[in-house]
Amino acid sequence: MSSKLVYRTLRPVLSSSLQFTGLGTGPGIRGHIISHLPTVRFFSSVTSSPASENNQPENPIRTVDGKVISTYWGIPPAKITKPDGSAWKWNCFQPWDSYKPDVSIDVTKHHKPSNFTDKFAYWTVQTLKIPVHLFFQRKHMCHAMLLETVAAVPGMVGGMLLHLKSLRRFEHSGGWIKALLEEAENERMHLMTFIELSQPKWYERAIVFTVQGVFFNAYFLAYVVSPKLAHRITGYLEEEAVNSYTEFLEDIDAGKFENSPAPAIAIDYWRLPRDATLRDVVYVIRADEAHHRDINHYASDIQFKGHELKEAPAPVGYH
């Protein structure tokens, strides 16, 4: 073959405008309209193209020879704007990842332990929360940051192990891989929101580092041994998260905690009004935790009945 440049077709580039429709309050309901530009072809052996140079962020990262990192291999960054024409500033999530939460969910629901496994899971969680409450007491922001770094672990561990199982057995997962990874990502966005409100101190970071390391390995082993136990533990952890955020809301309403303006990342992620406050953020996060509670108790119930998760359609998009 001659030295002619070889073309390859990349996926369509997102247009410079993106609009998404308003959502109802039903779980998993989403809507967005994305228009695509014609497919763009790039030379595989050319490190950048004139067209891509016009689609750069304000402060692009460049190599030592001046080339823009994002277009070094001919892949331009997507340039996305909000419906009002302003630039989309977030790289940690995209507009189609945002949603309007279903806050009508029952936050008082509790799964009553009915067998040894349930009781073991319940009392494990009750035991773990004692030192946490003694340390944080009513320091809600610090408590929330630790809570979210731990809460994002089960979904990732479960999704990862189901992913490997799917590969080993050459079978689908019924959507549960995606559902659990969605849960993990949603919990991570909770943390990203709280980081905007309060930067953790060095000792809080040390606690997170230690707790996450221990919890990840313990949960990994628990999931390998008994997925139904692992999901039940997570269900009870989420119940405690709901209770913690309820206390947070009560202290905000009582004036014990400042109801500051909501950070921009929360407004865009949950599609909140521009004048939203911290209370609005905590309110929707509590609803998310209640949904995670239901997902994990549901997953455990499926397995307690002798079925595999793949046999029941996963509640994908059920925040």
Side-chain angles (χ1 to χ4, degrees), residues 116-177:
F116 174 78
T117 302
D118 283 1
K119 292 176 182 178
F120 179 82
Y122 177 75
W123 287 110
T124 296
V125 173
Q126 293 302 306
T127 302
L128 290 175
K129 82 173 186 179
I130 293 174
V132 174
H133 279 274
L134 288 175
F135 182 81
F136 291 107
Q137 296 182 8
R138 310 294 280 196
K139 298 176 183 177
H140 297 296
M141 199 64 70
C142 300
H143 188 188
M145 283 190 288
L146 175 64
L147 182 67
E148 299 303 343
T149 59
V150 171
V153 170
M156 182 59 66
V157 171
M160 174 185 69
L161 291 176
L162 285 180
H163 173 75
L164 296 176
K165 181 179 179 180
S166 175
L167 297 179
R168 291 196 307 272
R169 295 189 176 183
F170 307 99
E171 63 185 18
H172 64 79
S173 70
W176 279 96
I177 295 174

Side-chain angles (χ1 to χ4, degrees), residues 47-48 53 56-57 60-63 66-73:
T47 58
S48 64
E53 294 296 335
Q56 299 300 333
I61 301 175
R62 298 178 181 274
T63 60
K67 291 185 173 61
V68 178
I69 294 291
S70 59
T71 61
Y72 187 73
W73 297 108

Side-chain angles (χ1 to χ4, degrees), residues 67 186 260-262 313:
K67 291 185 173 61
N186 182 245
S260 57

Side-chain angles (χ1 to χ4, degrees), residues 263-281:
I265 190 172
I267 291 173
D268 286 339
Y269 183 66
W270 284 286
R271 302 182 187 175
L272 299 173
R274 293 298 161 191
D275 59 350
T277 63
L278 174 61
R279 190 188 190 286
D280 298 318
V281 174

Side-chain angles (χ1 to χ4, degrees), residues 147-269:
L147 182 67
E148 299 303 343
T149 59
V150 171
V153 170
M156 182 59 66
V157 171
M160 174 185 69
L161 291 176
L162 285 180
H163 173 75
L164 296 176
K165 181 179 179 180
S166 175
L167 297 179
R168 291 196 307 272
R169 295 189 176 183
F170 307 99
E171 63 185 18
H172 64 79
S173 70
W176 279 96
I177 295 174
K178 183 174 179 61
L180 293 178
L181 292 181
E182 275 187 353
E183 175 187 318
E185 174 65 8
N186 182 245
E187 296 283 12
R188 189 183 67 85
M189 288 304 300
H190 293 176
L191 177 62
M192 296 300 101
T193 298
F194 285 122
I195 289 297
E196 293 288 322
L197 294 166
S198 176
Q199 293 298 323
K201 298 179 176 60
W202 69 268
Y203 62 86
E204 292 170 344
R205 291 177 180 271
I207 292 173
V208 166
F209 187 84
T210 303
V211 171
Q212 189 185 83
V214 173
F215 182 74
F216 176 89
N217 288 284
Y219 192 83
F220 179 89
L221 292 175
Y223 205 100
V224 170
V225 174
S226 176
K228 60 186 176 185
L229 170 63
H231 281 294
R232 189 68 81 201
I233 289 174
T234 305
Y236 286 127
L237 282 172
E238 298 295 355
E239 287 187 16
E240 291 303 322
V242 171
N243 295 336
S244 295
Y245 285 119
T246 297
E247 291 179 1
F248 199 164
L249 289 171
E250 290 173 353
D251 281 357
I252 291 176
D253 292 340
K256 298 178 181 179
F257 202 96
E258 181 185 0
N259 189 23
S260 57
I265 190 172
I267 291 173
D268 286 339
Y269 183 66

Side-chain angles (χ1 to χ4, degrees), residues 1 4 6 44 54 58 73 203 219 234 248 265 283:
M1 187 175 181
K4 293 182 180 180
V6 180
S44 61
N54 297 324
E58 293 181 2
W73 297 108
Y203 62 86
Y219 192 83
T234 305
F248 199 164
I265 190 172
Y283 193 70

